[in-house]
């Protein structure tokens, strides 16, 4: 029975939609409202970040497909230099270039294949290690038309790299198809007195991360509504109920002291009365002993 | 409940406020304010009427000001803004100051006594041209009229209401109008100019209605330089573009006749390129060559005669009509340490109306401009006074052979400021001018005591206030315990160095730098920066600190550099160097040699590094740190940031062991189509950070990422680099970066969509605060980014710390992978900003406040806690105790927290903070056209007694207490005795 109702309502809705002439038809010109966005409006621009500037889309394993977006494979090379030598090819980055429906392009599924050091390069690298010199790398600043405007250079003290093998870590900051900067170095720390240490294995273990710009947090917007609602519902957080002791300790301690004082006074009183009748030249009583030092202080 | 929370919030805010406010009677105790107008371009005297005598001046800083002619004080002034350049000023109707500005398109009239604007009219025309303002007593139908030529159009404007009575266009494309003349008493106007640089054009216009009466033109073979000198109402003199032929053109009765005279005919030796300096004196003009100034008289029809040739630096004033048909002009010449002021009548060169010699301070340089004015002496003869503008931009009034007053208007264009400690007080040497004796000291305190006990009469209160303001303690020339007394060393655009005392702002010394003076080897010297060269600590008693002034010869960045070393106590230049390389960057290194001279690395345009001072000792100490020196350069135009390290000794130069080659270590290339660098900010080198750990609410700890190599960069879309509102929010964005400048790693990168510059930023400790415009919200915003080090985050366990199993003491290396987390938050802010700074204290314990230079030229203090990214709508109890303020969408502007209180620092450029020795206090110096200095305690002066603390009251209390003790002691003894006798 229920599905009949559903169908009826569905048909009704359809009929309303397909015969708009039966209802009121606004002749208002629909202007693309930036703030709210009209559904169905052509080329709707959301206030959300446009995907070229989306939060880090990095991991090469991430799978995301869209029928609208076309993919193509691209490659760009990594060059390296030992100290002040010239740059020579050291590896290749390959990635999928995703073209979004609005024209933006981003890289995904970045993979890196590193060439192993040749013997000559090994020698050079050893020299670098001995002289604590820089190992430099460079990337094109535009992956579509390398090298773009200029190369992106980064360098690290060679002694930071060797561990078991040669460990390296790339963070590539991208903006669309442009490489802005690359953070290159060891994946962990590289404490300052850099000790000379040769790697056990002359092979690279590389980690690459692709980073796009983050979206900045917006300024909080408070409207009357939120404040009013909050007040009406009394959502103000109550301060946690504290124990009696926590609340009144500052009164209780002096009170305790006064009581203790009174008790000691009360205990001393009978004795003092008792000793008071004894002549002053007699044995010093507890009260006299108590008074003794204080009078001594006074006389000093 | 709502009321409860409201009350809570109210009390919370009210508890914040008293930190910032200032009582009325405290104004002027710690702060001083000085007003300047800048380098005077044109001056007009107003002395005709009885009443206060004034001079109206327009300056290169686009200020209109009237000064008191007796004392040189400012009556009123208006700052017209950077794009509203003043082209001409005059006084009309004896009560209005007329100004023509913005390339001749805005004409304004200001009321002379109070500076109120009377009217303003905008004059537009067909094309851009040289603006000319002419005010003669031209009367059309009982209406005083101003004749203005601007933008290719001649306008007649009514003086009363600024209405344009008639206008006449000169649309001819190549016409350059040079002079507009209205011969006295005639009803027409001559417009003179050149067409296509080789044709002399003369238009005769009816002054009543702008009708063109006559147009004549003559072609010449040569080309003109443009400058024309008017010798009489019907003759002009011009120079051709080679500077070697003088043209005398007369247009008597509308007929143009001309005569050419080669300059070499007048002078025996070939003078080189000559320039006409244009005194508008009848019958006489002057040309200036490299070597000399030549005065030439025009006799009759185009005949020229040299009347005087002088090799001294000579400045000529405009002509001044002193009586019916008689004109006079002034000449100022330098001779040794004095200047000669000569006033001559226009018709007779050989006689002098006035000849005076005035002793002039060498530190003022040459005379640049002179303006004269006449008055009637007591013996009915003519007296003259002259206003002169000196090379250091100072303004002086000369009368009766003496300097009546002087203004140091060079201080209106400060380029750089540094501070220096004052001399240590030596035993037996009294440096203070007025040392108070004991009696006066006691008297002062008794007065204060009366004030505290409310017994003081109004006279006493006035005396107390006077005493507080004029306290000699403030202005002594020695160091004090609290570090309040210092020397502010300011470098001005004119190349003059000023030493200002922080106590009262007086000029202790001033020195015009000789090495940065115009000379044969250095034709266009430009001063760049100021650095602390030597700060003696160990030898503080016998050595003076010194500062380094860096300049260069010429506007381009590859011009050769000049260094100058100046003693901070005396202002004397004790050494100067003309460099053989350019100066692109100066890096003060954190190393000093045995005489405590700081090592400086100068980077030239070819990226070579030069070490200074050039001593073997310096190179020895530098050699050990050689591999740890890194620097970076920011190329704003190309959007490239590069990092460098030192490589080897210079290969190209001949055995210069102080020169090093550099190598490029890293580069960041910003895509030119989407990003343009607009602002960078770094940490202050001398900033102290008290602790790296930050305790947060739940007894947790976060470690601040503190690196002195942090660079903040802000970029905007190239389209959006213009004015606010020139682009839509969709096509503008702001990207901010935090970059480590040793390795070039981008630590944080963040985009603000729909935002636009200008960006003002300040970086301190582990946070950066920046200000920009949000196009979507139509408001200014301020954002904060705080950056925390995660690599130390696991050092929270007490046992780890006890056992020593932690990495807190290991040195930090930039080559370690930075594990940082950032927190950020944005808030709306009402004002637009001119400058932003942060308070600086000696140990960095005191909480920070931001000092914001608002658009209204005031300095506003804003607690950093308002810009905490951890603010939330409902902070927990623990967070509240920590001091986290409930989240609001905009930053509050508390009226009491303006540290400039009621004053304005006109044309505010920058705010400089210096730490005093007292931890709670920071010294704030704000400069623009005006100077403002004050002490500021962000968390109140918790570590010292306030200045109005009554020592006398304390003393009396102690005496009374001691007396009471004695009395009670005696009484008790007596009582005890009585007890015992009983």
């Amino acid at each position: 029975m229920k599905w009949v109702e559903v169908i009826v309502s569905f048909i009704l809705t359809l009929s309303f939609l397909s015969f708009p002439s039966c209802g009121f038809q606004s002749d208002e010109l629909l202007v693309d409202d930036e703030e709210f966005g009209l559904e169905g409006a052509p080329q709707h621009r959301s206030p959300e970040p446009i995907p070229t500037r989306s939060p880090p889309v990095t991991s090469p394993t991430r799978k995301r497909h869209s029928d609208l977006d076309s993919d193509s494979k691209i490659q760009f090379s990594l060059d390296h230099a030992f100290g002040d030598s010239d740059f020579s090819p050291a590896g290749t980055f390959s990635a999928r270039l995703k073209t979004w429906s609005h024209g933006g392009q981003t890289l995904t599924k970045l993979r890196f294949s590193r060439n192993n050091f040749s013997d000559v390069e090994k020698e050079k690298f050893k020299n670098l290690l001995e002289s604590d010199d820089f190992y430099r790398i460079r990337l094109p600043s535009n992956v579509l038309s390398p090298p773009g405007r200029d190369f992106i250079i980064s360098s690290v003290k060679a002694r930071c790299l060797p561990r078991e093998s040669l460990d390296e870590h790339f963070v590539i900051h991208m903006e669309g198809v442009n490489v802005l900067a690359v953070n290159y170095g060891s994946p962990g720390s590289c404490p300052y007195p850099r000790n000379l240490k040769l790697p056990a294995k002359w092979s690279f273990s590389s980690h690459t991360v692709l980073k796009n710009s983050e979206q900045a947090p917006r300024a909080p917007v408070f409207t009357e509504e939120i404040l009013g609602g909050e007040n009406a519902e009394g959502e103000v957080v109550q301060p946690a109920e504290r124990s009696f002791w926590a609340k009144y300790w500052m009164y209780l301690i002096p009170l305790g002291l006064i009581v203790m004082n009174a008790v000691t006074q009360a205990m001393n009183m009978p004795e003092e009365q008792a000793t008071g009748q004894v002549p002053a030249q007699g044995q010093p009583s507890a009260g006299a002993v108590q008074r003794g030092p204080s009078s001594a202080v006074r006389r000093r | 409940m709502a009321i409860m929370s409201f009350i809570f919030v109210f009390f919370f805010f009210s508890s914040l406020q008293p930190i910032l406010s200032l009582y009325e009677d405290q104004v002027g105790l710690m702060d001083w304010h000085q007003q300047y107008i800048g380098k005077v371009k044109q001056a007009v005297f107003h002395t005709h009427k009885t009443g206060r005598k004034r001079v109206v001046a327009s300056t290169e800083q686009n200020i209109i000001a009237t000064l008191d002619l007796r004392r040189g004080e400012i009556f009123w002034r208006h700052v017209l803004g950077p794009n509203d350049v003043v082209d001409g000023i005059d006084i009309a109707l004896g009560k209005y100051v007329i100004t023509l500005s913005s390339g001749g398109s805005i004409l304004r009239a200001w009321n002379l006594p109070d500076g109120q604007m009377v009217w303003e009219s905008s004059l537009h025309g067909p094309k851009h041209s040289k603006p000319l303002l002419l005010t003669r007593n031209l009367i059309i139908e009982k209406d005083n009229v101003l004749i203005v030529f601007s933008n290719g159009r001649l306008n007649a404007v009514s003086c009363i209401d600024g209405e344009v009575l008639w206008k006449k266009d000169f649309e001819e494309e190549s016409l350059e109008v040079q002079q507009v003349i209205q011969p006295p008493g005639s009803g027409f106007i001559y417009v003179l100019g050149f067409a296509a640089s080789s044709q002399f054009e003369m238009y005769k216009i009816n002054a009543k209605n702008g009708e063109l009466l006559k147009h004549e033109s003559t072609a010449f073979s040569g080309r003109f330089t443009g400058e024309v000198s008017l010798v009489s109402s019907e003759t002009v003199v011009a120079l051709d573009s080679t500077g070697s032929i003088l043209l005398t053109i007369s247009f008597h009765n509308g007929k143009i006749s001309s005569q050419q005279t080669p300059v070499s005919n007048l002078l025996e030796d070939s003078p080189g390129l000559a320039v006409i300096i244009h005194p508008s004196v009848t019958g006489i003009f002057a040309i200036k060559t490299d070597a000399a100034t030549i005065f030439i008289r025009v006799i009759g029809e185009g005949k020229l005669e040299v009347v005087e040739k002088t090799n001294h630096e000579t400045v000529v004033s405009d002509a001044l009509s002193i009586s019916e048909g008689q004109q006079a002009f002034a000449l100022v010449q330098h001779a040794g340490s004095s200047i000669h002021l000569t006033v001559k009548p226009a018709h007779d060169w050989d006689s002098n109306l006035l000849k005076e010699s005035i002793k002039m301070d060498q530190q003022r340089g040459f005379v640049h401009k002179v303006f004269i004015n006449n008055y009637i002496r007591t013996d009915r003869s003519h007296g003259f006074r002259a206003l002169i503008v000196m090379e250091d931009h100072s303004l002086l009034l000369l009368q009766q052979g003496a300097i009546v007053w002087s203004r140091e208007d060079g201080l209106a264009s400060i380029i750089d400021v540094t501070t220096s400690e004052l001399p240590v007080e030596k035993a037996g040497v009294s440096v203070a001018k007025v040392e108070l004796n004991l009696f006066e000291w006691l008297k002062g305190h008794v007065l204060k005591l009366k004030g505290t006990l409310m017994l003081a009469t109004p006279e006493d209160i006035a005396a107390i206030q006077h005493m507080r303001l004029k306290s000699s303690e403030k202005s002594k020339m020695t160091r004090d315990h609290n570090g309040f007394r210092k020397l502010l060393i300011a470098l001005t655009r004119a190349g003059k160095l000023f030493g200002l005392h922080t106590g009262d702002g007086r000029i202790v010394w001033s020195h015009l730098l000789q090495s940065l003076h115009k000379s044969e080897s250095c034709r266009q010297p430009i001063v760049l920066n100021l650095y602390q060269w030597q700060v003696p600590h160990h030898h503080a008693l016998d050595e003076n600190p010194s500062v380094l002034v860096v300049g260069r010869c010429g506007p381009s960045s590859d011009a050769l550099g000049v260094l100058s070393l100046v003693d901070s106590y005396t202002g004397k230049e004790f050494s100067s160097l003309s460099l053989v390389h350019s100066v692109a960057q100066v890096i003060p290194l954190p190393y000093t040699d045995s005489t405590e001279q700081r090592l400086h690395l100068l980077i030239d345009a070819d990226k070579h590094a030069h070490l200074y001072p050039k001593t073997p000792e310096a190179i020895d100490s530098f050699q050990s740190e050689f591999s740890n020196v890194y620097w970076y350069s920011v190329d704003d135009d190309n959007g490239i940031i590069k990092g460098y390290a030192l490589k080897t000794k210079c290969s190209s130069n001949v055995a210069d062991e102080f020169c090093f080659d550099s190598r490029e270590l890293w580069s960041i290339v910003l895509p030119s189509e989407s990003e343009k660098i607009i602002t960078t900010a770094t940490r202050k080198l001398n900033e102290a950070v008290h602790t790296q750990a930050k305790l947060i609410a739940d007894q947790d700890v976060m470690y601040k990422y503190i690196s002195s190599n942090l660079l903040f960069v802000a970029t905007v879309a190239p389209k959006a680099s213009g004015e606010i509102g020139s682009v839509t929010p969709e096509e503008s964005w702001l990207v901010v970066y935090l970059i480590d400048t040793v390795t070039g790693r981008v630590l944080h990168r963040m985009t603000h969509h729909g935002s636009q510059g200008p960006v003002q930023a300040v970086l301190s400790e582990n946070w950066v605060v920046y200000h920009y415009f949000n196009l979507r919200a139509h408001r200014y915003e301020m954002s904060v980014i705080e950056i925390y080090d995660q690599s130390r985050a696991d050092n929270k366990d007490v046992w780890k710390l006890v056992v020593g199993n932690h990495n807190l003491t290991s040195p930090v290396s930039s080559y370690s992978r930075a594990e940082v987390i950032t927190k950020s938050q944005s808030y709306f802010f009402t004002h637009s900003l001119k400058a932003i700074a942060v308070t600086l204290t000696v140990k960095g314990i005191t909480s920070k406040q931001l000092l914001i230079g608002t658009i209204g030229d005031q300095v506003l203090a804003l607690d950093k806690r308002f810009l905490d990214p951890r603010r939330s709508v409902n902070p927990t109890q623990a967070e509240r105790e920590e001091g986290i303020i409930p989240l609001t969408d905009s930053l509050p502007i508390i009226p009491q927290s303006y540290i400039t209180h009621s004053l304005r620092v006109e044309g505010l450029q920058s705010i400089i903070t210096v730490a005093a020795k007292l931890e709670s206090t920071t010294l704030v110096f704000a400069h623009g056209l005006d100077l403002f200095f004050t002490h500021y305690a962000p968390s109140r002066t918790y570590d010292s007694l306030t200045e109005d603390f009554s020592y006398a009251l304390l003393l009396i209390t102690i005496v009374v207490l001691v007396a009471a003790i004695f009395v009670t002691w005696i009484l008790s003894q007596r009582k005890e005795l009585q007890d015992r006798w009983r």
Side-chain angles (χ1 to χ4, degrees), chain B residues 414-425:
Chain B
I414 290 177
I415 290 175
D416 203 356
V417 180
T418 185
T419 54
S420 161
E421 293 290 342
L422 284 163
V424 182
E425 196 157 6

Side-chain angles (χ1 to χ4, degrees), chain B residues 41-42 58-59 62-64 80 83-90 98-108 128-133 148-151:
Chain B
K41 235 173 18 177
Q42 201 184 346
S58 73
T59 69
N62 303 335
I63 293 178
I64 314 280
L80 294 189
N83 301 322
D84 202 4
V85 179
V86 184
D87 303 306
I89 57 166
D90 212 332
I98 307 288
T99 62
L100 183 67
S101 61
S102 284
S105 47
I106 301 173
L107 190 69
R108 294 189 182 99
H128 184 75
S129 73
K130 188 172 132 183
L132 297 162
L133 174 69
V148 180
F149 185 86
S150 70
N151 296 325

Side-chain angles (χ1 to χ4, degrees), chain B residues 75-234:
Chain B
F75 279 133
W76 56 262
R77 76 184 161 160
H78 291 292
V79 184
L80 294 189
N83 301 322
D84 202 4
V85 179
V86 184
D87 303 306
I89 57 166
D90 212 332
I91 292 177
L93 296 176
K95 59 177 180 181
Y96 293 159
V97 178
I98 307 288
T99 62
L100 183 67
S101 61
S102 284
S105 47
I106 301 173
L107 190 69
R108 294 189 182 99
W110 314 86
N111 194 11
L112 188 60
D114 57 3
Q116 299 280 339
M117 196 198 282
V118 183
W119 50 258
E120 179 183 69
S121 59
S122 58
L123 309 171
H124 298 289
K127 60 169 190 178
H128 184 75
S129 73
K130 188 172 132 183
L132 297 162
L133 174 69
L134 184 75
T135 49
R136 284 276 166 78
N137 292 325
L138 182 65
I139 296 168
I140 303 173
E141 291 154 8
K142 294 178 190 163
D143 200 355
N144 278 49
V145 170
L146 298 164
I147 302 293
V148 180
F149 185 86
S150 70
N151 296 325
R153 177 178 286 178
L154 190 69
N155 300 280
V157 184
S158 164
C159 275
I160 306 295
D161 52 4
E163 195 193 340
V164 177
L165 300 175
W166 55 258
K167 53 197 173 203
K168 169 95 183 89
D169 285 357
F170 293 87
E171 284 179 19
E172 203 179 323
E173 199 46 52
S174 60
L175 180 72
E176 280 178 56
V177 172
Q178 296 294 344
Q179 287 280 354
V180 177
I181 312 162
Q182 199 255 320
S186 65
F188 45 81
I189 298 162
Y190 287 116
V191 176
L192 312 175
F194 300 119
S197 317
S198 63
Q199 196 165 328
F200 183 75
E201 304 267 344
M202 192 270 295
Y203 296 88
K204 192 176 177 184
I205 309 272
N206 187 342
K208 295 265 186 294
N209 50 18
E211 197 185 322
L212 181 64
L213 297 174
K214 201 177 256 179
H215 174 210
E216 291 277 332
S217 69
T218 321
F220 290 96
S221 53
R223 296 173 69 82
F224 295 100
T225 45
E227 205 58 40
V228 189
S229 181
L230 189 71
V231 235
S232 74
S233 60
E234 289 177 338

